[in-house]
Amino acid sequence: MQHFLQISDLSSDDIETLTERALHFKYQGHYPHYTSSSVVNLFYENSTRTRISFELAAKHLSMEVINVDLQHSSENKGETIQDTLQTLGAMGITHAVIRHSQDHLPAQLTTLCPHMHVVNAGDGTHAHPSQAMLDFMTIVEQKPDMHLLKIAIIGDILHSRVANSLQCLFKIMQPKELILVAPPIWQPEVIHYGQITDNLQAGLADADVVICLRVQRERLKKEEFMDLETYRHHFALTPETFAWCKPDAMIMHPGPVNREVEIDSILVDGAHSAILQQVKNGVFMRMAILEALGR
Ligand code: NCD
């Protein structure tokens, strides 16, 4: 693998191999040393868990890690991201982990530094492939037979790069059913995979896995705004609505969670929640991704 940009670049074998490797790291506990690799974290949008987990993943593999402080970098002197990346490439950095608000920017940057591996850590509303991979890992760790599962994704499907990458992943890995639940104003015209509905009960009925999305207020245009009380009333995961799922259903959320908006605290912290497992698995999955990109 030269770059890690979007799920649709992967085969089912790639997805399974990365997942096996991530699980191996998780349970085996001692890691290879890639001391000649160096990773730069270039995060042009806020992030806590994704940036830190890429940093930890690189450190576990003995890679050098540089976090560019974008508040104080030359970008503020008018330098473009293209120049920043070429500068880092000239210094011999081997991996660039990029988060940016512009769709497809990481892919466009790949031609600039032929020897550098580019990792997409979230581009606009387009893709968040490492999140989809760690979500897949978390699901199959608890429920190994994907073909038997009904999976529901609830929330702002229109603006969610996580939902996009998950649709692409499930298109390849084929659960029994994928259902996307969103209010009509947050439903995209075209979906990559699954069925879409605004009926929460139909979406959750007998679901094995529920993935809640954050209400991303910062991405909403004026005409897309929805009153949070109305959203909660129709789409929140509460003990009452969660009862429509299978009794052993898992609850997931990519974070950050808006407690008491898209999901109730009692579920976030309850026995069905796999949210902290997702965070934990994120480190191991990102180790597998960095390793697969080579030196
Ligand atoms: C997601 C993101 O940034 O796309 N969060 C994450 O990476 N864990 C989802 C979100 O911000 O709601």
Side-chain angles (χ1 to χ4, degrees):
M1 227 174 16
Q2 177 65 17
H3 305 291
F4 184 78
L5 298 170
Q6 53 184 7
I7 293 292
S8 53
D9 295 339
L10 305 176
S11 65
S12 60
D13 279 353
D14 294 332
I15 293 171
E16 270 161 15
T17 306
L18 284 169
T19 305
E20 275 162 29
R21 191 68 178 148
L23 287 166
H24 173 85
F25 286 141
K26 181 172 180 179
Y27 292 106
Q28 208 231 13
H30 53 89
Y31 313 135
H33 302 285
Y34 298 114
T35 48
S36 56
S37 297
S38 46
V39 178
V40 66
N41 269 327
L42 281 171
F43 279 64
Y44 292 83
E45 274 188 353
N46 295 340
S47 169
T48 308
R49 67 209 81 213
T50 305
R51 192 190 57 72
I52 293 173
S53 73
F54 269 112
E55 179 172 351
L56 265 180
K59 285 182 172 161
H60 286 334
L61 295 171
S62 307
M63 297 175 170
E64 192 89 58
V65 191
I66 294 122
N67 289 308
V68 177
D69 176 3
L70 289 167
Q71 303 287 321
H72 299 104
S73 76
S74 294
E75 303 261 336
N76 287 340
K77 298 182 186 166
E79 187 174 73
T80 62
I81 184 170
Q82 286 77 2
D83 284 335
T84 302
L85 203 68
Q86 280 180 320
T87 302
L88 294 164
M91 291 180 195
I93 301 280
T94 55
H95 298 63
V97 178
I98 301 174
R99 170 169 285 194
H100 201 279
S101 58
Q102 193 179 319
D103 290 16
H104 303 285
L105 188 71
Q108 288 159 13
L109 294 171
T110 56
T111 49
L112 287 179
C113 305
H115 304 299
M116 204 186 251
H117 304 288
V118 174
V119 178
N120 180 3
D123 58 335
T125 59
H126 166 243
H128 193 349
S130 64
Q131 179 71 42
M133 285 299 306
L134 74 89
D135 289 347
F136 176 73
M137 171 185 178
T138 308
I139 295 170
V140 292
E141 207 184 359
Q142 280 195 36
K143 296 181 185 290
D145 199 344
M146 184 52 45
H147 307 299
L148 300 179
L149 302 181
K150 173 176 173 179
I151 300 175
I153 307 179
I154 308 167
D156 180 359
I157 305 291
L158 179 65
H159 298 101
S160 174
R161 56 193 173 204
V162 177
N164 276 343
S165 288
L166 283 170
Q167 287 171 62
C168 296
L169 184 141
F170 293 132
K171 187 172 178 183
I172 301 168
M173 302 314 285
Q174 296 279 309
K176 189 176 86 187
E177 190 180 348
L178 174 66
I179 187 142
L180 312 169
V181 184
I185 48 164
W186 294 348
Q187 292 186 6
E189 269 171 37
V190 182
I191 57 172
H192 308 290
Y193 188 67
Q195 305 287 321
I196 194 154
T197 178
D198 63 357
N199 182 330
L200 184 64
Q201 184 160 9
L204 292 182
D206 289 323
D208 299 278
V209 180
V210 190
I211 304 173
C212 279
L213 301 172
R214 181 173 66 91
V215 176
Q216 302 181 87
R217 280 172 269 201
E218 76 280 11
R219 295 201 191 280
L220 299 181
K221 298 191 196 108
K222 220 170 163 193
E223 66 277 13
E224 292 165 348
F225 188 77
M226 185 171 180
D227 170 60
L228 291 184
E229 270 313 305
T230 314
Y231 179 79
R232 248 192 91 65
H233 182 70
H234 295 285
F235 297 97
L237 200 65
T238 64
E240 292 71 38
T241 59
F242 181 61
W244 293 325
C245 301
K246 289 234 179 90
D248 66 343
M250 323 167 39
I251 297 172
M252 299 172 60
H253 192 305
V257 173
N258 286 321
R259 286 170 182 257
E260 325 308 340
V261 178
E262 65 266 3
I263 181 169
D264 282 7
S265 266
I266 194 162
L267 297 176
V268 175
D269 303 321
H272 291 267
S273 173
I275 297 172
L276 290 178
Q277 273 305 314
Q278 290 173 270
V279 176
K280 181 170 184 173
N281 286 342
V283 177
F284 302 110
M285 180 49 76
R286 287 168 176 133
M287 288 171 73
I289 292 166
L290 291 174
E291 179 186 61
L293 292 168
R295 289 160 209 205

